[in-house]
Amino acid sequence: MTMQITAAVARNVGGELSLENITLDAPRADEILVKITATGVCHTDLAVMAGHLPTPMPVVLGHEGAGIVEAVGAKVTKVAPGDSVVITYNSCGSCPSCQDGAMSYCYEFFPRNFFGTRADGSVALKDSSGPVHSNFFGQSSFASHALANERNVVKVDATGDDLALMGPLACGIQTGAGTVMNALKVQSGKSFVVFGAGSVGLAAVMAAKVQGATTIIAVDLHDTRLKLAKELGATHTFNAGADDVVDQIKLATGGGANYALDTTGLPPVIRQAVDSMAPRGKAAVLGAPMPGSEISVDNTDFMSTGKTLMGVVEGESDGDTFIPKLIDLWRAGKFPFDKLVKFYAFDQINTAIHDSHEGTAIKPILRMT
Ligand SMILES: [Zn+2]
Ligand SMILES: [Zn+2]
């Protein structure tokens, strides 16, 4: 049994996406069919389109899906038809990381999220000429319908416009907020600096405010983003074009930041993040780097000041608990991530991607219904 769906297919590296009618498998016993309401556009989608990640084409991308469960396989008990869900990253459930509840460091994170197949190597999509890669982040949600599973659907309490907003919580927004709250565990009264004020960096600014950080600094090249960072809780903003950014951060924090976050993945910026910290400072990197890129730090400074530098994936978020927590904070007016969002009709997907590249949309969301 199969069904006809509309999906945005990526056929060539560097090419545009085309909306096509293709065929989706019916859900297997452990799968969940979701009618997609809306899907966010994340930088990881753009990185795959640019050929920076090992995802084969043709493929249906999209990994910030939100929608309504339409059907479930015989073994599914977590959700039922009619439930509102967002769809987050996929994980295996049995490796040492998954056993520890650290699913974002699943030993099979790459195959389960980037290889464009189910775990058994099969694909769930096809067109008239053959298979189309599917299951991107366990969903491929640039589509009218997607297949997910119990490990990556998160039940949410939402309808209509609220649900359409919530897809980005499942990747970009939880990555920024989770890195601050779960990984760095920013403490009340401390100072925090983020390099890069895109959707991930701005989510981090909001989360640092929630945590009670008293000095919150955003660094970016675009003044419009720095202005938004101030509205969302930054106490200081610096343009990265200035050559004394590290000195400015040290001055603003009285000797260096307690926590630093790099969202750019650029080695010289990561170096600035480490250099701008106070003794015992803790820094995180989460940006998708170019293949083969390396990070360097001043060995003496790094060692003698007791600094920490950690890699973070998906904000170390357990979606089932963390996404509802972010929704509660949003409803309480403490996490206004809706200010980052710009909606597009599904057939405007290439415009949304273009605007994301240009920086005119911080977090584009495509509406499928
Ligand atoms: Zn695992
Ligand atoms: Zn993402």
Side-chain angles (χ1 to χ4, degrees):
M1 277 252 300
T2 59
M3 71 183 294
Q4 288 298 116
I5 67 163
T6 306
V9 184
R11 294 200 170 272
N12 309 296
V13 169
E16 294 213 318
L17 304 180
S18 56
L19 281 205
E20 301 178 17
N21 292 314
I22 61 174
T23 304
L24 176 66
D25 286 354
R28 291 182 175 179
D30 60 348
E31 289 180 333
I32 298 161
L33 176 67
V34 180
K35 185 175 196 299
I36 301 294
T37 302
T39 302
V41 176
C42 178
H43 276 271
T44 305
D45 298 306
L46 311 187
V48 172
M49 291 175 69
H52 297 161
L53 286 156
T55 305
M57 293 186 183
V59 63
V60 174
L61 302 171
H63 64 284
E64 292 183 346
I68 309 286
V69 174
E70 190 156 296
V72 299
K75 287 188 193 156
V76 172
T77 57
K78 185 180 183 182
V79 292
D83 286 347
S84 294
V85 295
V86 298
I87 316 174
T88 187
Y89 65 92
N90 205 9
S91 57
C92 80
S94 54
C95 73
S97 290
C98 285
Q99 290 292 306
D100 284 348
M103 290 81 71
S104 69
Y105 305 117
C106 176
Y107 285 33
E108 292 193 24
F109 191 89
F110 253 78
R112 299 274 176 154
N113 291 288
F114 288 103
F115 282 10
T117 68
R118 294 186 179 97
D120 68 2
S122 64
V123 299
L125 294 167
K126 62 174 182 294
D127 65 9
S128 54
S129 59
V132 174
H133 287 93
S134 60
N135 301 77
F136 182 69
F137 276 73
Q139 52 191 292
S140 290
S141 52
F142 285 162
S144 60
H145 298 77
L147 288 177
N149 63 74
E150 286 190 321
R151 293 197 60 76
N152 75 333
V153 295
V154 175
K155 233 167 125 164
V156 294
D157 175 15
T159 54
D161 261 14
D162 280 4
L163 180 59
L165 257 183
M166 285 177 186
L169 295 173
C171 185
I173 303 295
Q174 79 174 2
T175 294
T179 300
V180 167
M181 298 166 88
N182 305 323
L184 290 173
K185 297 184 171 72
V186 169
Q187 290 173 9
S188 174
K190 303 286 188 182
S191 56
F192 170 78
V193 57
V194 62
F195 292 79
S199 58
V200 172
L202 291 169
V205 165
M206 287 184 271
K209 190 176 174 194
V210 168
Q211 293 293 96
T214 39
T215 304
I216 301 173
I217 303 171
V219 181
D220 198 282
L221 284 166
H222 301 283
D223 287 330
T224 50
R225 291 184 175 209
L226 294 176
K227 189 164 164 268
L228 186 53
K230 275 232 160 129
E231 285 171 36
L232 297 173
T235 55
H236 304 67
T237 58
F238 299 128
N239 193 300
D243 49 15
D244 60 344
V245 169
V246 170
D247 292 340
Q248 291 187 60
I249 293 165
K250 286 192 163 165
L251 201 62
T253 52
N258 300 118
Y259 304 93
L261 170 60
D262 172 72
T263 68
T264 71
L266 302 169
V269 180
I270 294 167
R271 174 62 186 264
Q272 285 184 319
V274 173
D275 287 348
S276 67
M277 289 195 298
R280 299 184 297 135
K282 217 170 167 184
V285 293
L286 56 73
M290 292 298 283
S293 101
E294 294 186 356
I295 300 169
S296 70
V297 296
D298 182 302
N299 200 346
T300 303
D301 170 70
F302 187 71
M303 179 279 296
S304 62
T305 55
K307 290 176 181 176
T308 303
L309 176 62
M310 69 190 300
V312 181
V313 174
E314 294 282 352
E316 301 188 353
S317 304
D318 173 354
D320 287 332
T321 52
F322 194 60
I323 291 172
K325 179 176 169 173
L326 293 179
I327 292 170
D328 286 347
L329 286 167
W330 171 64
R331 292 218 164 103
K334 292 177 180 169
F335 189 72
F337 75 98
D338 53 298
K339 290 194 176 161
L340 313 182
V341 163
K342 187 171 175 187
F343 282 105
Y344 296 79
F346 189 23
D347 63 7
Q348 297 300 301
I349 187 166
N350 289 306
T351 308
I353 287 166
H354 174 263
D355 290 357
S356 182
H357 274 301
E358 296 285 305
T360 52
I362 291 175
K363 174 49 76 177
I365 296 180
L366 305 162
R367 286 184 191 273
M368 280 66 176
T369 55

